[in-house]
Amino acid sequence: MLLLASGLLPATTAQAQQVVNIYTTREPGLAAPLFEAFTKATGIEVKSVFIKDGLAERVKAEGATSPADVLMTVDVGNLLDVVDAGVTQPVETPALKAAIPANLRDPDGNWYALSLRARLVYTAKDVVKQDAITYEELADPKWKGKVCIRSGQHPYNIGLVAAFIVHHGEEKAEAWLRGVKANLARKAAGGDREGARDILGGICDIAVGNSYYVGLMRSGKGGADQKKWGDGIGVLLPTFEGGGTHVNVSGAAVAKNAPHRDAAIKFLEFAVSPAMQAVYAKENMEYPVIAEASIDPIIADLGPLKVDPASLVAIAKNRKRASELVDKVGFDN
């Protein structure tokens, strides 16, 4: 566990007495620019606690005396977990409702998305000539022996399968999973970046991977080998038939027993302001949740993102069934 006080900048006497305590599952370094900018703008000190696992359990165990004001996490499933644990409180303000589309926030105001990562298709540029693809097409027999993907049980893929269920129902989702499995070039394993590596190695023609990994690879942050992988692949933004591109989110909620509730709300509103959306998205190579915020050039170069309108709450509620279907078809075997 890491305790980090961010942005201790000069403030008025009244401001200096203010603080917001943030429990986060994101590495503190990734959110530090946001914390520091918030303190500079408001004079409110940020104290963050990094909790790798068990965020909901930690806050629940602390009970009414919990110092947590804001709970920040990655993956909509984790956001629903803290809501289901009863450790959040509903918050609705005009600024939050205006900034964040309805499908990217809890309908009762228990959590709000702060950034997006899209589930993409990486391609072998010298082989795959098409400029568009659907998720449904991943099961097309024309890709037999040509698809790379990480474990079907990984949260990124469980989210995609759950979204497929929302769009088409369980029966079609099961048939789709069987079709994708039949098209695999190798066992479903590794990570998203390994999909790019294996495309360059001639193992597969297409791979499923998240958008921010392209940013990390092409930026050089992962080293020379990963930059070669990122630069060597093509990228398509797939959509569901009649829908858009599947996204997952990082997000935040106000803790149920937040001792500094007003400061917590100010933090959420600050996090979705255009300037901070641009900073936060750039640091993490993600998409901002508001259209007017600028995007890192590497991510912008992937093309315009048409976010799938399916409710993230509905998708998250289908996670369990998605996991069961992955096992039923033996996707990872």
Side-chain angles (χ1 to χ4, degrees), residues 90-157:
V91 168
E92 289 191 3
T93 72
L96 289 170
K97 291 185 73 173
I100 304 177
N103 64 314
L104 299 178
R105 52 182 162 88
D106 178 63
D108 297 320
N110 279 290
W111 58 263
Y112 292 87
L114 300 182
S115 62
L116 311 173
R117 64 269 304 272
R119 203 78 179 126
L120 307 182
V121 169
Y122 307 161
T123 70
K125 290 192 288 189
D126 57 342
V127 176
V128 180
K129 300 303 182 182
Q130 62 193 70
D131 57 7
I133 194 170
T134 65
Y135 294 111
E136 291 84 355
E137 190 183 334
L138 296 175
D140 190 315
K142 75 177 184 179
W143 298 113
K144 186 172 180 62
K146 298 177 180 180
V147 178
C148 286
I149 194 169
R150 71 195 308 161
S151 167
Q153 288 293 358
H154 190 278
Y156 297 160
N157 287 332

Side-chain angles (χ1 to χ4, degrees), residues 119 144-154 157 177 180-192 194-199 203-204 206-208 326-327 329-333:
R119 203 78 179 126
K144 186 172 180 62
K146 298 177 180 180
V147 178
C148 286
I149 194 169
R150 71 195 308 161
S151 167
Q153 288 293 358
H154 190 278
N157 287 332
L177 276 171
V180 177
K181 177 177 171 58
N183 287 344
L184 294 182
R186 56 161 169 76
K187 184 177 179 179
D192 288 357
E194 281 70 32
R197 177 199 65 190
D198 290 349
I199 286 174
I203 296 172
C204 41
I206 61 174
V208 179
V326 168
D327 280 346
V329 306
F331 194 86
D332 291 346
N333 297 338

Side-chain angles (χ1 to χ4, degrees), residues 36-324:
E36 291 163 2
F38 177 70
T39 296
K40 184 175 182 179
T42 66
I44 298 173
E45 178 187 356
V46 174
K47 292 183 178 178
S48 70
V49 179
F50 173 53
I51 302 173
K52 184 175 181 181
D53 299 302
L55 173 63
E57 293 79 5
R58 163 78 175 267
V59 181
K60 192 171 185 177
E62 291 174 345
T65 61
S66 174
D69 295 307
V70 175
L71 310 177
M72 290 180 66
T73 189
V74 176
D75 185 84
V76 66
N78 293 329
L79 288 167
L80 261 67
D81 286 344
V82 296
V83 175
D84 291 343
V87 296
T88 64
Q89 61 173 289
V91 168
E92 289 191 3
T93 72
L96 289 170
K97 291 185 73 173
I100 304 177
N103 64 314
L104 299 178
R105 52 182 162 88
D106 178 63
D108 297 320
N110 279 290
W111 58 263
Y112 292 87
L114 300 182
S115 62
L116 311 173
R117 64 269 304 272
R119 203 78 179 126
L120 307 182
V121 169
Y122 307 161
T123 70
K125 290 192 288 189
D126 57 342
V127 176
V128 180
K129 300 303 182 182
Q130 62 193 70
D131 57 7
I133 194 170
T134 65
Y135 294 111
E136 291 84 355
E137 190 183 334
L138 296 175
D140 190 315
K142 75 177 184 179
W143 298 113
K144 186 172 180 62
K146 298 177 180 180
V147 178
C148 286
I149 194 169
R150 71 195 308 161
S151 167
Q153 288 293 358
H154 190 278
Y156 297 160
N157 287 332
I158 290 297
L160 179 59
V161 177
F164 202 101
I165 293 172
V166 170
H167 278 276
H168 299 295
E170 291 184 20
E171 184 177 344
K172 288 185 178 179
E174 179 180 337
W176 177 74
L177 276 171
R178 293 188 186 279
V180 177
K181 177 177 171 58
N183 287 344
L184 294 182
R186 56 161 169 76
K187 184 177 179 179
D192 288 357
R193 281 173 279 201
E194 281 70 32
R197 177 199 65 190
D198 290 349
I199 286 174
L200 267 65
I203 296 172
C204 41
D205 288 349
I206 61 174
V208 179
N210 273 357
S211 53
Y212 71 95
Y213 284 122
V214 180
L216 292 172
M217 288 187 291
R218 290 182 176 177
S219 70
K221 291 181 179 180
D225 284 344
Q226 289 188 21
K227 181 165 176 45
K228 181 174 68 175
W229 304 343
D231 290 341
I233 59 171
V235 175
L236 298 176
L237 275 70
T239 59
F240 283 106
E241 293 174 357
T245 299
H246 172 65
V247 299
N248 208 326
V249 302
S250 73
V254 176
K256 179 180 180 180
N257 298 299
H260 311 101
R261 183 177 185 274
D262 289 347
I265 294 172
K266 283 183 182 178
F267 176 80
L268 290 187
E269 292 180 335
F270 185 81
V272 297
S273 63
M276 287 318 303
Q277 278 281 290
V279 170
Y280 191 56
K282 181 177 177 62
E283 288 296 320
N284 299 294
M285 289 291 176
E286 294 174 320
Y287 289 93
V289 293
I290 61 174
E292 57 266 39
S294 60
I295 306 174
D296 184 273
I298 295 176
I299 300 301
D301 193 50
L302 302 181
L305 174 66
K306 177 188 175 185
V307 176
D308 188 55
S311 164
L312 289 179
V313 173
I315 291 170
K317 287 181 177 178
N318 279 282
R319 287 179 303 155
K320 183 175 185 293
R321 188 54 185 149
S323 177
E324 291 170 349

